[in-house]
Each structure stands twice: as structure tokens, then as C-alpha cells.
Amino acid sequence: LNFQGFLAADAILGSLCQEQGIKCLCIERTSRSDRLIWDDENQSTIGAFKAKEWCKSNLSNIDDKNLNIYISDHFKTLQNFKLADHQSPIKKYRWQKGKKKILYLGQVYTDASLLYGMQDFKNPLDVITLLISWAINNNEVLFIKLHPKENNGRNPISNQPYNKITFKKILSKFPNILESDNIIIDESNSYDTYNLIKESDIVVTINSQAGLEAAAMGKFVLHESHTMYGGLGFTKSFDSEKDLCAKLSNFTFNELDTQLAKRFYYTFYENFCLKNKPSSILTHLGM
């Protein structure tokens, strides 16, 4: 049993298991406290390749009526399933009227899914910089929802506090950004993430699972090209600065398949993911 599989010791363990013909199950937490991603082929869950291919091949045949009921009921209680360091308060943000509302959902700056998963940009700050410039130049509103863990969490390897790492990088590049009427940054986890998603026009992320949640909620989602739920018809990817700007300016919601987003969401969490309890993990290991 391995966790994520991206550290050197994990890679060695995975290779030894492969040599000896021993089953190696790699697991990783999801944004839900009761579910785990798994992979028993690649010795790593980074990128969630197994999850994407499995879900594409096993999309549930649940009828749309029951699916819509599930999604509606699920998002009413989703906060109850969130990890403590992923939860947000119930405070709602009042957006400006008459402007396009762009929501950026951040991830921890040093998260493995970013370090090993970003393909088209060097780091999250490059994407955030582009979004800030676009919003100001086009007089639209950008709300940057930074990951709650960066406010009060610690690096699991070094045990050092994240200490608002992304926020500090933004301020170092845009010292006067907090004075802008077009840019709002929630670095202290003050606002409800799901209300922000509900009220936004466009949701942008790198490869966060929150992007899948937003798509299942019926939102137009833009993400970097290397994403577990990308390329399936219910989100749009961007692979360059020019591409992201073009899609922000000319997004067409009607071309996306919202029902497919709901099906993928249901299949991923209810059929693919393991329940986060020992018996479920042991059963998958064949014990």
C-alpha cells in the first residue's frame, strides 16, 4: 500500500513490487474526506490516469431524473464531507453587477498535482498573472479563491506552515493589487466556495477537483490541458496565454454537456473511488 507514489522511496517500493509480482495499490485523498483515488497499475496517483480512463469506460447508466436529484441533494450537504482543511465558511460575496464574473479556484502552490501535473504553464502564478491582467484590461471582475489550506495548513513533508504562499507571491508581483476594484482575493478563507461557484460566470482552475464540482453544478469551467476530467466534452482546456484569453473573451456555454459532467462526477465518486476506511482498502488489496 502506497500513498500518492511521487517520493523517491515510493517509486522504489513500486518498482520492487513490480519486479516481485506483488500487487501495489497506490491511494490518495480526494477533496471529500470519505473517498480515495486509487491506482494499481502506474505506481502513482498523480494525474489520476487510472481514474479518468476507468470513468470514461464505466459512465453510469443512471437515468437523468435520479442523477439530477443526486446532484441537487449532494451539493446541499457537500460541506459535511469536506476535509477540515478544505472547508469554507458560509459567508457570501456580493459580486459587482454588469460585469463578467470570473472565479479562480486555487490549489496549494506546492501541491503534487501542480508540481507534476502542469504542462502548459510553469507555475500557478503565471496563470493568476494572466487572469489579473485580462480582468483589468477588459474591466471584468476576477475573484481569486485561494486554497483554505494555505491559510492555516502545513506542508506534509517539511511540517512547515504554508503561510499564505500564493498570496505573498501575488503581492510581490502586484504590490497594489488590493486597491483594484476588479480583483478580489480571498486569502484568509472568508467566503463560501460553493456560493462563489454558483454566482460566477466562468470558473478557472489548473487541475483542481473543485473544477469537476463546478462543472457538475452546471458552470463553464476552464482548466489547464492536463486534467483528470478534461477533454470529455463538459469543460474547456487552455494550453497557452493566447488560448486562455480567447476563451475568456468568447466562451460559449451551450456547447458543453452538463449532464455528462454530472455522470462523470457520480461515476468518479460513487463507483470508482474507494471509501476511506480500512475494510475498503483491504478488500481492494485482495485481503
Side-chain angles (χ1 to χ4, degrees), residues 144-168:
I144 301 173
K145 176 65 176 179
L146 297 178
H147 198 287
K149 190 188 291 185
E150 288 196 340
N151 184 48
N152 54 19
R154 291 177 175 271
N155 186 304
I157 299 174
S158 66
N159 200 38
Q160 295 298 310
Y162 287 116
N163 202 18
K164 301 185 179 181
I165 179 173
T166 302
F167 181 60
K168 290 181 177 179

Side-chain angles (χ1 to χ4, degrees), residues 62-210:
I62 183 174
D63 66 85
D64 285 342
K65 181 180 179 180
N66 289 335
L67 181 64
N68 291 336
I69 292 172
Y70 165 84
I71 292 295
S72 177
D73 291 344
H74 178 72
F75 281 102
K76 289 177 182 177
T77 59
L78 185 57
Q79 285 281 23
N80 298 334
F81 297 101
K82 286 291 181 180
L83 295 163
D85 52 16
H86 285 67
Q87 291 181 351
S88 59
I90 60 174
K91 184 179 178 180
K92 298 179 180 179
Y93 176 72
R94 184 170 295 180
W95 295 80
Q96 296 180 43
K97 295 183 178 180
K99 295 183 179 181
K100 191 178 293 183
K101 296 170 286 189
I102 314 298
L103 172 63
Y104 173 78
L105 296 174
Q107 296 159 261
V108 175
Y109 197 86
T110 56
D111 190 273
S113 63
L114 298 181
L115 294 176
Y116 295 92
M118 292 192 73
Q119 299 289 311
D120 309 304
F121 290 79
K122 290 186 297 184
N123 55 60
L125 187 61
D126 286 350
V127 177
I128 294 171
T129 297
L130 182 61
L131 291 172
I132 289 174
S133 299
W134 184 89
I136 292 174
N137 293 337
N138 290 274
N139 194 28
E140 306 290 9
V141 178
L142 170 65
F143 192 108
I144 301 173
K145 176 65 176 179
L146 297 178
H147 198 287
K149 190 188 291 185
E150 288 196 340
N151 184 48
N152 54 19
R154 291 177 175 271
N155 186 304
I157 299 174
S158 66
N159 200 38
Q160 295 298 310
Y162 287 116
N163 202 18
K164 301 185 179 181
I165 179 173
T166 302
F167 181 60
K168 290 181 177 179
K169 289 181 179 293
I170 294 172
L171 289 184
S172 68
K173 194 154 192 174
F174 299 95
N176 302 316
I177 193 66
L178 298 181
E179 299 173 12
S180 172
D181 293 332
N182 298 78
I183 312 299
I184 304 92
I185 305 176
D186 185 9
E187 82 284 0
S188 299
N189 193 29
S190 300
Y191 293 96
D192 176 17
T193 300
Y194 296 99
N195 182 258
L196 288 169
I197 292 173
K198 180 180 178 181
E199 298 298 325
S200 66
D201 295 315
I202 302 176
V203 174
V204 182
T205 187
I206 306 293
N207 53 25
S208 172
Q209 288 177 33

Side-chain angles (χ1 to χ4, degrees), residues 15-67:
S15 296
L16 287 172
C17 287
Q18 195 170 35
E19 277 190 10
Q20 298 295 321
I22 299 171
K23 184 173 183 177
C24 180
L25 177 65
C26 194
I27 60 174
E28 180 181 346
R29 296 192 305 176
T30 68
S31 59
R32 283 179 53 174
S33 61
D34 62 337
R35 294 291 188 270
L36 298 169
I37 297 179
W38 60 273
D39 194 314
D40 57 6
E41 296 176 4
N42 302 301
Q43 283 89 50
S44 173
T45 54
I46 302 302
F49 299 112
K50 177 86 173 186
K52 183 172 186 175
E53 293 307 312
W54 194 97
C55 290
K56 282 172 60 178
S57 301
N58 295 275
L59 285 176
S60 173
N61 291 323
I62 183 174
D63 66 85
D64 285 342
K65 181 180 179 180
N66 289 335
L67 181 64

